[in-house]
Amino acid sequence: FNIMRQSCAVSFVFWAFCFYKEQKWAFFLITMFIAYHFHSTSIIYLLIPFLYTLLQKKLMTTRTILLMATAIGFIVFFFYYDVLQFVFRIGLATDYFMDNYGEAGAYLGTGAVRIRYVNIVLFLFFTFNVLLSYKKRILPQNINSLWAVCTILYISFSLLALYVVYIQRLNYAFYLMCLFFSAVLLSSRKVNFFYKMTFFFIIIYSWYDNNIINNFGETYPYKSDLLGI
């Protein structure tokens, strides 16, 4: 049910981004408001129009933004609890948030979340997709840069989820962005058919491994005659 709510929220977020590009601010705020009430992690997506504006208006170079994303991912990964305590002290995090994401939370890493081979392969494919789009100029430069930032943050948060399982819920936002951009890339005729089929297989197997075998999506009890489960 949690993944269903997040997926519904993302639908409104993508709609909101269209309104943002068209400068229809009232509709943008309304759709983001609806998305937030489907799932609070939608607030993370406010980064997307912010970064898009920086790149579109060339207020920051692509290299600078990528370096910043890498630095943020590094700091959050290695100094997560320090950052969280600071956010809490300045009043940007509630007690409920700290209970779920803090050191005393009930969702600390206990081996339930681990990086498996399929995750590593998915990291590599998402990274290669960005590079492929750059090389073949399939997406505009600013969109490629935005995609690269999402990929860096997705990998960083995936690693952080080894220590704080609840981070998986936040990271789902970046995963969907990487998946969306990859779908646009693979719709291009410039991409090899065999590569497309390989990526589809990896995505399907990753979903099966995460949500069926390991129950990350909290889908149990789950029954399927097709899958023989």
Side-chain angles (χ1 to χ4, degrees):
F1 182 66
N2 178 64
I3 286 182
M4 185 185 298
R5 289 194 297 112
Q6 282 188 280
S7 300
C8 289
V10 170
S11 300
F12 282 98
V13 167
F14 285 156
W15 196 12
F17 186 62
C18 293
F19 288 133
Y20 181 87
K21 290 182 66 176
E22 296 170 1
Q23 297 185 357
K24 297 180 179 179
W25 310 121
F27 289 110
F28 168 72
L29 293 174
I30 290 170
T31 46
M32 282 302 300
F33 179 80
I34 295 172
Y36 178 80
H37 280 80
F38 264 105
H39 204 283
S40 58
T41 55
S42 301
I43 199 73
I44 294 177
Y45 284 107
L46 289 176
L47 283 172
I48 305 303
F50 174 71
L51 291 172
Y52 176 81
T53 300
L54 291 179
L55 292 165
Q56 183 75 5
K57 296 184 178 296
K58 297 182 179 180
L59 299 176
M60 294 182 71
T61 64
T62 298
R63 180 177 298 180
T64 301
I65 288 181
L66 291 178
L67 287 174
M68 285 179 61
T70 304
I72 290 171
F74 179 88
I75 292 170
V76 171
F77 181 75
F78 287 101
F79 304 99
Y80 172 73
Y81 292 120
D82 295 321
V83 172
L84 196 61
Q85 286 293 335
F86 172 75
V87 171
F88 178 72
R89 283 197 296 269
I90 63 176
L92 294 180
T94 63
D95 291 332
Y96 173 81
F97 188 91
M98 294 296 291
D99 287 341
N100 288 329
Y101 295 94
E103 280 185 284
Y107 295 91
L108 298 183
T110 57
V113 174
R114 62 188 185 281
I115 299 298
R116 296 175 306 285
Y117 291 123
V118 66
N119 298 110
I120 296 173
V121 172
L122 191 59
F123 294 163
L124 293 175
F125 263 94
F126 276 149
T127 303
F128 187 76
N129 284 350
V130 179
L131 297 176
L132 188 63
S133 184
Y134 268 115
K135 182 180 179 180
K136 294 183 177 291
R137 298 182 178 180
I138 296 174
L139 293 176
Q141 183 79 358
N142 60 334
I143 298 298
N144 283 329
S145 300
L146 185 61
W147 183 6
V149 170
C150 290
T151 303
I152 291 170
L153 294 177
Y154 167 65
I155 295 173
S156 300
F157 276 83
S158 294
L159 296 175
L160 184 59
L162 292 169
Y163 303 100
V164 185
V165 179
Y166 222 74
I167 290 294
Q168 283 292 89
R169 293 189 175 186
L170 291 176
N171 197 35
Y172 188 62
F174 296 115
Y175 167 77
L176 287 177
M177 291 301 298
C178 292
L179 196 60
F180 171 76
F181 287 128
S182 294
V184 176
L185 169 77
L186 296 178
S187 67
S188 171
R189 294 183 178 180
K190 295 180 180 180
V191 181
N192 181 275
F193 177 78
F194 176 76
Y195 181 83
K196 292 180 182 181
M197 292 299 102
T198 304
F199 182 75
F200 291 154
F201 172 79
I202 293 298
I203 288 294
I204 292 171
Y205 183 77
S206 172
W207 174 87
Y208 177 80
D209 184 68
N210 285 331
N211 297 301
I212 304 302
I213 296 178
N214 292 284
N215 196 30
F216 285 171
E218 300 170 357
T219 53
Y220 287 151
Y222 184 92
K223 294 182 179 180
S224 171
D225 293 332
L226 180 63
L227 297 176
I229 297 175

